[in-house]
Amino acid sequence: MRVLLVNVIDISSNVESQAPPLGLAYLASFLRRKVSEIEVKIIDRNIHECTRQFRPNLVGLSTVSQNWGQAERLARYFKQNGAVVVVGGHHVSALPHKLSPEMDIGVIGEGEETFCELVKVFQEHGLDRRFLGDIKGIAYHDDRGQITVTLPRGFIFDLDTI
């Protein structure tokens, strides 16, 4: 399974593009340790070219509020290319009911354990919504198109685990 993690930034902004995406690096490291048969790639530019070469099954978008529109456009692009789209970051964590139709799932709060659980469910069952309701800390579109928010996931207190 191929997972593409995209840091949705304005690459013309020095503030947004000068620091590496440490949150996505933690996420990738955690996935590589906990999930078998997985390839993980992190990008923030050359998205279309990378998508054609890598052909992800699942895409994780990390975004903040000022880049939400860009995340929606990217989600639409990835959906058209057959990938499941998961979005995380401050915006969806604060406003999970704003999850766009192009975005299959939103991760609320810390993403390492939640995203890992999502990847494992996806490996076994695909995007079968019957298995999403038990995953803590997500928002998703149910079979009627309504947004469902699951119970919150607790914080990770032992940071050495990630």
Side-chain angles (χ1 to χ4, degrees):
M1 180 171 154
R2 291 175 306 281
V3 176
L4 182 63
L5 301 175
V6 181
N7 188 28
V8 181
I9 60 170
D10 176 358
I11 60 172
S12 68
S13 167
N14 287 336
V15 172
E16 291 186 38
S17 62
Q18 69 186 13
L22 292 180
L24 291 180
Y26 280 116
L27 196 60
S29 175
F30 194 78
L31 283 175
R32 288 179 181 130
R33 280 199 333 258
K34 301 286 185 177
V35 180
S36 61
E37 299 179 28
I38 190 169
E39 289 180 68
V40 182
K41 186 171 187 131
I42 302 171
I43 62 170
D44 61 9
R45 55 197 81 214
N46 302 323
I47 292 169
H48 294 84
E49 177 186 332
C50 184
T51 301
R52 283 189 296 277
Q53 291 175 0
F54 190 61
R55 297 181 338 272
N57 307 101
L58 189 138
V59 174
L61 303 175
S62 177
T63 188
V64 293
S65 296
Q66 72 261 26
N67 297 328
W68 187 254
Q70 183 179 353
E72 289 176 318
R73 288 187 295 279
L74 285 172
R76 195 172 309 112
Y77 166 75
F78 287 117
K79 291 296 291 178
Q80 290 170 350
N81 283 280
V84 170
V85 178
V86 179
V87 64
H90 298 293
H91 188 84
V92 74
S93 292
L95 302 166
H97 286 90
K98 297 292 184 179
L99 190 68
S100 299
E102 307 82 24
M103 300 168 177
D104 296 300
I105 302 166
V107 173
I108 302 166
E110 295 175 344
E112 288 80 7
E113 292 174 343
T114 305
F115 193 66
C116 184
E117 192 174 341
L118 279 170
V119 168
K120 288 178 179 179
V121 166
F122 180 73
Q123 280 182 319
E124 286 188 39
H125 307 287
L127 188 60
D128 188 333
R129 285 166 173 74
R130 293 176 299 170
F131 297 94
L132 297 179
D134 293 332
I135 300 174
K136 291 182 178 178
I138 65 169
Y140 64 96
H141 302 279
D142 65 18
D143 292 330
R144 297 181 329 266
Q146 301 298 312
I147 295 175
T148 299
V149 178
T150 63
L151 294 173
R153 184 176 296 269
F155 291 114
I156 300 169
F157 290 105
D158 182 3
L159 297 181
D160 290 333
T161 63
I162 59 171

